[in-house]
Amino acid sequence: MGNSNCETPRRVAVPPKKSFSASLSSAFKETIFPDDPFRQFKNQSPSRKFVLGLQYLVPIFEWAPRYTFEFFKADLIAGITIASLAVPQGISYAKLANVPAIQGLYSSFVPPLIYAMFGSSRDLAVGTNAVGSLLLTSMIGREINPTENPKTYLQAVFTATFFAGVVETCLGFLRLGFLVDFLSHAAIVGFMSGAAIIVCLQQLKGILGLVHFTLETDIISVLRAVFTQTHQWRWESCVLGIVFLSFLILTKYYSKRKPAFFWINAMAPLTSVILGSILVYLTHAEKHGVQVIGHLKKGLNPPSVSELGFRAPYLMTAIKAGATIGIISLAEGVAVGRSFAMYKNYHIDGNKEMISFGMMNLVGSLTSCYLTTGPFSRTAVNFNAGCKTAASNIVMATAVMMTLLFLTPLFHYTPLVVLASIIIAAMLGLIDYGGIIHLWTIDKFDFFVSISAFLGVVFGSVETGLIIAVTISILRLLLSLSRPRTYALGNIPNSITYRSTEQYPAAANVPGMLILHIDAPIYFANTNYLRERYIFITLIQGLIIID
């Protein structure tokens, strides 16, 4: 028995050498195709390969044959619920982007249909969002004044949306989604919180009834624009703004306390629009300083191919804005989709999501839509309403279509102050101060990344905050690779477990040797640092074994 536990040492054979092409192919496959999407096509007939390929590229062909009436009932309720949110939000965010209000409704009709065909998330609800709208205003409005040149500005917005779609589609087809991961969670938390504060401050224009306002997005410029026009503040508009904002915040608070009544929060924006429109119509408040939307033309999306300005003098501005906003929208949309997929225990393909986002922005730019993504607020309502598939987006698009065909004249008297209140109420949920404080308790450097992005957005500009966030995140990555954590391991008494001697005082060094753990692969960027650590440690403790 005693000898049975002793094994004779055996020499391990040297593995056969791989050719350069085989090694390169293996590394490429592991990097670009880690999930091996082509494995399902092996040993299949040509017709079956065609069907599988169609289902892979257009997921609706995969889940539609299994669609049931029970699913339809759930998606119908969810779709109608998010449509009640999409209509007022679409108009509100269009005003934030300084494009005609009707563009917000157009953007809630065509893109959701495209996403329902190409998207892989069952819960994501598609539409415009506040941060993307603010970025359009900030990046394009700096070059083209939307008040003086509204046609040129709208053309640049359509062109930026087109290039956002190009970038997103290319990232998906080339499977380069890992580039979006450079926007770390800490960076996104700080960036979104800062952008939400700026969006809220921008809405003081509508709350106070101001006609002229700054196009700058830093807090100093916004507050200066507010307090240098105190003589133009309209008390009628202020009263309406406070009343409707209080109503929206109370409904959101109640829905959080009573999740079964989520629909109250979902219906609150549309209810505010209806009540505000009736109030203005009955009191003729538009004659007393309360600004209204005005005429909205009926009809579906007109084509906008001729509006794309590929030869315009502002082409580079549109390309820069489209690429930047496209990547940010991807980061937000994919993160939101994955978050809700975890609740239902299913997986979404990030590269498919990028393709679907790209397709809906490409098609949207040709049909009078501006940039769309998967906003958190709308997706949360869709999830709570019990959606089962992406068909809820089709229901929402159908409801918006009916609105475009028959109901747009009813929004003539909708006060802008109500739209401002809707945006502020939505943005308050994005100011994640709890998340930033939590980062302080977990990782001080992540907190520094987050607060730097936050301050960059608030005191600089949206682009400044984004650049700071990405730059610091990349610097941290390079620092962790070139200066990896290196610590000695010791044996936990009466066990075969080895732990850091710094974290576990009970861990004992093995006599005559030093076991060193390195938190990174060894390569050229950190060899000098590791050599210095090697010399320092061996001078103190002697022999070294690298684990």
Side-chain angles (χ1 to χ4, degrees):
M1 288 292 292
N3 294 332
S4 63
N5 293 329
C6 298
E7 296 184 3
T8 304
R10 297 181 181 180
R11 182 181 294 275
V12 178
V14 177
K17 284 188 176 181
K18 284 186 177 181
S19 65
F20 173 76
S21 60
S23 299
L24 184 63
S25 174
S26 177
F28 178 81
K29 182 178 178 181
E30 183 179 353
T31 302
I32 305 299
F33 302 104
D35 55 343
D36 191 13
F38 302 111
R39 66 184 184 278
Q40 59 180 330
F41 298 98
K42 294 178 181 178
N43 304 320
Q44 300 289 342
S45 64
S47 60
R48 181 60 181 164
K49 286 181 180 179
F50 174 77
V51 172
L52 291 173
L54 190 63
Q55 290 177 343
Y56 181 80
L57 293 174
V58 190
I60 193 172
F61 289 115
E62 179 185 359
W63 57 262
R66 296 180 277 106
Y67 200 70
T68 65
F69 183 69
E70 293 298 320
F71 283 4
F72 172 72
K73 289 193 296 183
D75 288 336
L76 179 64
I77 295 172
I80 293 174
T81 304
I82 56 176
S84 67
L85 181 64
V87 171
Q89 275 194 351
I91 296 173
S92 303
Y93 294 154
K95 301 301 290 185
L96 178 61
N98 283 319
V99 298
I102 195 67
Q103 252 66 48
L105 295 180
Y106 290 159
S107 302
S108 295
F109 171 48
V110 173
L113 296 175
I114 303 299
Y115 183 82
M117 295 175 60
F118 293 95
S120 62
S121 173
R122 305 171 196 166
D123 303 287
L124 204 68
V126 170
T128 55
N129 70 334
V131 174
S133 301
L134 177 67
L135 278 168
L136 284 172
T137 301
S138 173
M139 301 185 74
I140 299 179
R142 187 180 295 115
E143 302 292 332
I144 309 169
N145 191 306
T147 305
E148 298 175 359
N149 300 294
K151 182 176 176 59
T152 305
Y153 178 82
L154 186 60
Q155 290 175 343
V157 168
F158 288 153
T159 308
T161 302
F162 176 83
F163 283 108
V166 170
V167 169
E168 292 168 339
T169 305
C170 289
L171 287 175
F173 275 117
L174 298 177
R175 303 182 71 82
L176 298 177
F178 63 87
L179 295 177
V180 178
D181 293 335
F182 282 106
L183 280 171
S184 66
H185 172 72
I188 291 175
V189 168
F191 175 80
M192 287 296 185
S193 298
I197 287 179
I198 293 300
V199 170
C200 290
L201 291 176
Q202 286 275 351
Q203 298 319 298
L204 291 177
K205 174 188 177 183
I207 296 292
L208 300 173
L210 299 176
V211 177
H212 303 289
F213 208 69
T214 180
L215 294 176
E216 299 296 328
T217 57
D218 63 284
I219 190 171
I220 304 298
S221 299
V222 174
L223 292 179
R224 184 186 298 119
V226 170
F227 289 104
T228 55
Q229 302 184 76
T230 53
H231 58 286
Q232 295 185 14
W233 291 8
R234 308 292 305 195
W235 68 267
E236 302 93 340
S237 185
C238 291
V239 171
L240 280 176
I242 293 172
V243 169
F244 282 107
L245 181 58
S246 301
F247 169 70
L248 291 166
I249 292 174
L250 286 174
T251 56
K252 179 178 289 189
Y253 175 78
Y254 184 76
S255 295
K256 283 186 177 180
R257 292 289 302 271
K258 305 284 186 180
F261 294 95
F262 70 92
W263 53 271
I264 293 178
N265 181 40
M267 296 293 292
L270 185 59
T271 304
S272 299
V273 168
I274 294 172
L275 293 177
S277 300
I278 294 174
L279 183 62
V280 170
Y281 177 77
L282 294 177
T283 61
H284 300 287
E286 75 276 10
K287 298 179 181 178
H288 301 282
V290 177
Q291 302 173 54
V292 297
I293 290 177
H295 174 69
L296 286 180
K297 59 182 179 180
K298 290 198 296 185
L300 301 182
N301 305 34
S304 56
V305 180
S306 60
E307 300 296 320
L308 298 180
F310 295 122
R311 296 182 181 179
Y314 303 107
L315 178 61
M316 290 309 300
T317 299
I319 293 175
K320 176 185 173 183
T324 303
I325 303 171
I327 291 175
I328 293 175
S329 298
L330 275 181
E332 179 187 3
V334 173
V336 169
R338 285 174 174 167
S339 298
F340 285 95
M342 289 175 59
Y343 286 111
K344 292 186 177 179
N345 195 28
Y346 71 92
H347 173 73
I348 66 170
D349 189 325
N351 291 294
K352 285 184 182 179
E353 289 298 282
M354 293 176 188
I355 294 172
S356 64
F357 279 29
M359 292 300 295
M360 70 184 188
N361 281 315
L362 280 173
V363 176
S365 68
L366 307 178
T367 54
S368 300
C369 305
Y370 78 99
L371 197 135
T372 50
T373 183
F376 176 82
S377 59
R378 200 175 298 187
T379 303
V381 171
N382 195 33
F383 176 85
N384 290 327
C387 68
K388 297 297 182 183
T389 68
S392 59
N393 281 284
I394 299 177
V395 175
M396 175 184 71
T398 304
V400 174
M401 179 186 71
M402 301 303 292
T403 302
L404 287 168
L405 289 174
F406 305 110
L407 303 179
T408 50
L410 300 179
F411 293 100
H412 179 92
Y413 290 99
T414 300
L416 297 186
V417 65
V418 171
L419 302 183
S421 301
I422 291 172
I423 293 176
I424 293 175
M427 288 299 97
L428 291 177
L430 290 181
I431 304 175
D432 191 7
Y433 57 87
I436 297 177
I437 295 173
H438 183 62
L439 288 172
W440 171 262
T441 62
I442 294 179
D443 191 317
K444 302 298 188 291
F445 198 96
D446 272 348
F447 172 80
F448 176 69
V449 170
S450 186
I451 205 68
S452 297
F454 175 83
L455 295 176
V457 172
V458 172
F459 290 99
S461 66
V462 178
E463 306 97 283
T464 302
L466 180 64
I467 292 171
I468 290 175
V470 173
T471 302
I472 295 178
S473 295
I474 293 176
L475 286 176
R476 185 191 183 177
L477 175 64
L478 296 176
L479 185 64
S480 65
L481 292 175
S482 61
R483 295 291 186 271
R485 281 200 315 153
T486 306
Y487 50 87
L489 298 180
N491 177 246
I492 301 296
N494 303 318
S495 73
I496 58 172
T497 303
Y498 290 81
R499 292 290 183 267
S500 168
T501 54
E502 294 180 3
Q503 290 183 320
Y504 295 84
N509 291 322
V510 178
M513 66 175 62
L514 176 69
I515 305 174
L516 193 64
H517 183 86
I518 302 170
D519 272 354
I522 301 174
Y523 71 117
F524 70 94
N526 57 27
T527 51
N528 285 331
Y529 169 76
L530 293 177
R531 186 181 294 112
E532 292 170 0
R533 293 287 294 166
Y534 168 82
I535 294 172
F536 173 75
I537 296 174
T538 50
L539 285 175
I540 297 176
Q541 300 195 34
L543 187 64
I544 181 170
I545 298 175
I546 298 181
D547 177 27

